[in-house]
Amino acid sequence: MNRCSNPDHPHCTVWVMPGDSACAHGHAQAAPAEAATAPVSSGSAASLPASLPASLPATIAVPAQRPQLHVSGFDPRAAGGRQVLKLELRGMPADCAPQVTLLASSRLRLEGGERHPFHRTLRGDWLPVFLEFSSRGLEHGQYRIELELHSRGQPARTWVATLLILAPRADASLHDIHQTFLATHKNVRVHADDASIARVHARTGGGRVDIDVNASNAGIAHLDLDARGGKIDLGVTNIAWDEELLEIDLPAQAVAHPCPASTACLLLAADAGARLPAARVRHLRLFALDECVLGRADGEADLLLAHHLAGGPTNEGLTRRLSGRHALIRRGRGGFEIEDVSRYGLLVDGAWPGKHKPVTLHPGMRIELTASIPGIVVLEVTAVLPHALVLQRVDAGMEHEAYYIVDPERAPGPGAHGVAPGLPLLLHRDGGFWVVEPGGEETPLTPTTPFGRLAGWSRGATFSASAYPELRAGMRPEIYGNATPPAHNPGVRQP
């Protein structure tokens, strides 16, 4: 036997005998020829039931589930307070990348940045993302949260969705909140549990009624719906719903980059007598990441930091005052921003911004790591381009390295030339890095790029598809093992 398969009554659980045209509740059932069938493995005709036709195909296509974003945890009664939405991906296609980047924008005050990654597990499902926001100080009413989801796999795919969030009046009753919210969402589920009471009274117009009412453990669920609605998951204290993801038709992809890389390094022939500090840099580290992690070499960082002594960088001493994940740099709505996620803190222009409080970066800003012992690592924002951020060390490591952080697949935009004196204009497209010459010509960066033929480049410049080519494979903690260790300092505690 099968359960009721009538699409107009998805919550009917009555069992139906094979061949019956309707269930016990009178819901019409699909004819056997129209019923969906699971894939059948290929084999001999003798292994198939006698009731099936001999011409049955080896597999029968089942309509693919449409991608959806399941939203839960919304409590509209917390007007003006801080709220957290739990976002879950469902029905995503198999050819999307194992990481999908979520970009969010809204007039609501989004906490924790506007860029969040979804990660696919080994089982094939997706880890949820928690989107924090507050409506404090905003006028009551409905607010949009515009979402974009980007998969940078092959092929690249993009989905969009819009969430409608209700910020009710401070004196609004639960009845008013539910009535307003149900007027803009579809499908209703009422659930009461553990001696609680859930009441819904709403008016909707037109369409199909699809309601799930559930009460358990001495709970009471009361539904008063006088017309036809659609789908909302409505809990006792919060509301959840499914938002369909609409895929955008992206233009055809260009030819793949000859040397794809998300991190790289330009080894420059440094000019010790150059007037600009950027022209004296030996290693220009390139990063094209949605989120760049700064930290110690033996942690989870992308951009590796260490304290520099007279003989070079060291892995010990004051370097131990840097966390494995010390700070994050990402491109937010207002530009590139830095966020402190460490146990030791950081200073931006001499002030500690607070932990998990992003600060938008501007040219000339000085970043010191850490806040407890300033001067371990000192960075200066050399340039902020529409697509990139350039950081220069202004401590003892000034001539050793600088950092070029690029927003992946974003064009430089007009006016980008000449913003970073002494450094080339670089971008990341089609999976790899490109250099833009003064005339606008774009040349892909590879280990065989003839830098001597490019304007403003010396013949000694080389490219590596690794941000730290001087490191040996598997020896990340020994990045600075050859430097002279500092004298013992009893005031420095080793974590």
Side-chain angles (χ1 to χ4, degrees), residues 329-332 334-337 359-365 367 380-391 403-405 412 414-421 423 425:
I329 291 181
R330 65 173 77 89
R331 193 182 191 281
F336 285 90
E337 58 190 22
V359 177
T360 302
L361 297 174
H362 302 284
M365 277 186 168
I367 304 168
E380 185 176 277
V381 181
T382 303
V384 178
L385 310 179
H387 74 299
L389 173 74
V390 182
L391 298 176
Y403 312 101
Y404 210 119
I405 302 174
H417 288 278
V419 181
L423 290 178
L425 178 61

Side-chain angles (χ1 to χ4, degrees), residues 125-462:
D125 52 355
W126 296 83
L127 296 177
V129 164
F130 295 90
L131 188 65
E132 302 180 22
F133 70 93
S134 171
S135 59
R136 185 178 302 276
L138 298 177
E139 181 184 5
H140 70 271
Q142 293 182 349
Y143 291 87
R144 294 178 299 170
I145 300 181
E146 303 288 349
L147 303 178
E148 292 184 14
L149 290 95
H150 298 275
S151 167
R152 293 202 171 100
Q154 295 295 333
R157 307 182 70 169
T158 297
W159 295 268
V160 297
T162 301
L163 308 182
L164 288 180
I165 300 299
L166 172 66
R169 304 186 314 272
D171 59 345
S173 65
L174 181 60
H175 173 274
D176 296 335
I177 293 171
H178 284 166
Q179 187 170 13
T180 304
F181 196 83
L182 291 177
T184 58
H185 290 75
K186 302 178 178 180
N187 292 353
V188 179
R189 180 183 301 156
V190 181
H191 176 73
D193 190 10
D194 194 16
S196 58
I197 301 176
R199 294 189 179 93
V200 175
H201 176 82
R203 295 182 180 181
T204 59
R208 184 184 67 187
V209 175
D210 181 7
I211 305 172
D212 180 19
V213 181
N214 184 17
S216 59
N217 296 330
I220 300 176
H222 178 202
L223 175 69
D224 184 1
L225 191 64
D226 60 358
R228 297 152 296 280
K231 185 169 183 177
I232 278 186
D233 289 331
L234 180 60
V236 179
T237 59
N238 57 65
I239 295 176
W241 68 96
D242 291 325
E243 198 72 44
E244 185 172 354
L245 296 175
L246 303 178
E247 186 170 4
I248 296 177
D249 188 10
L250 298 177
Q253 286 188 308
V255 179
H257 193 280
C259 183
S262 57
T263 63
C265 181
L266 281 170
L267 282 77
L268 308 176
D271 182 4
R275 179 176 57 86
L276 297 172
R280 302 197 297 267
V281 171
R282 173 61 180 165
H283 297 88
L284 182 59
R285 319 283 188 187
L286 312 181
F287 301 91
L289 305 169
D290 291 328
E291 185 175 78
C292 186
V293 181
L294 287 68
R296 225 171 41 217
D298 57 353
E300 305 173 4
D302 305 302
L303 195 156
L304 309 182
L305 296 173
H307 179 60
H308 276 249
L309 303 172
T314 177
N315 218 24
E316 302 298 332
L318 291 178
T319 297
R320 305 304 299 178
R321 284 290 184 173
L322 299 171
S323 298
R325 283 174 56 90
H326 203 105
L328 307 177
I329 291 181
R330 65 173 77 89
R331 193 182 191 281
R333 190 175 184 181
F336 285 90
E337 58 190 22
I338 188 169
E339 177 183 348
D340 179 17
V341 295
S342 69
R343 50 184 297 201
Y344 299 116
L346 60 83
L347 301 178
V348 179
D349 284 342
W352 179 54
K355 195 170 183 178
H356 300 301
K357 294 185 179 297
V359 177
T360 302
L361 297 174
H362 302 284
M365 277 186 168
R366 179 167 292 215
I367 304 168
E368 295 187 65
L369 294 84
T370 63
S372 56
I373 305 180
I376 297 178
V377 173
V378 185
L379 307 174
E380 185 176 277
V381 181
T382 303
V384 178
L385 310 179
H387 74 299
L389 173 74
V390 182
L391 298 176
Q392 170 71 45
R393 293 194 71 139
V394 289
D395 51 18
M398 176 183 297
E399 298 183 6
H400 181 75
E401 58 189 352
Y403 312 101
Y404 210 119
I405 302 174
V406 183
D407 192 17
E409 310 298 329
R410 181 181 290 271
H417 288 278
V419 181
L423 290 178
L425 178 61
L426 305 176
L427 60 89
H428 188 273
R429 192 184 69 241
D430 304 328
F433 291 95
W434 301 70
V435 58
V436 183
E437 299 187 62
E441 299 85 359
E442 297 178 358
T443 302
L445 291 179
T446 70
T448 60
T449 299
F451 288 97
R453 301 178 185 177
L454 302 179
W457 291 80
S458 64
R459 293 183 178 274
T462 58

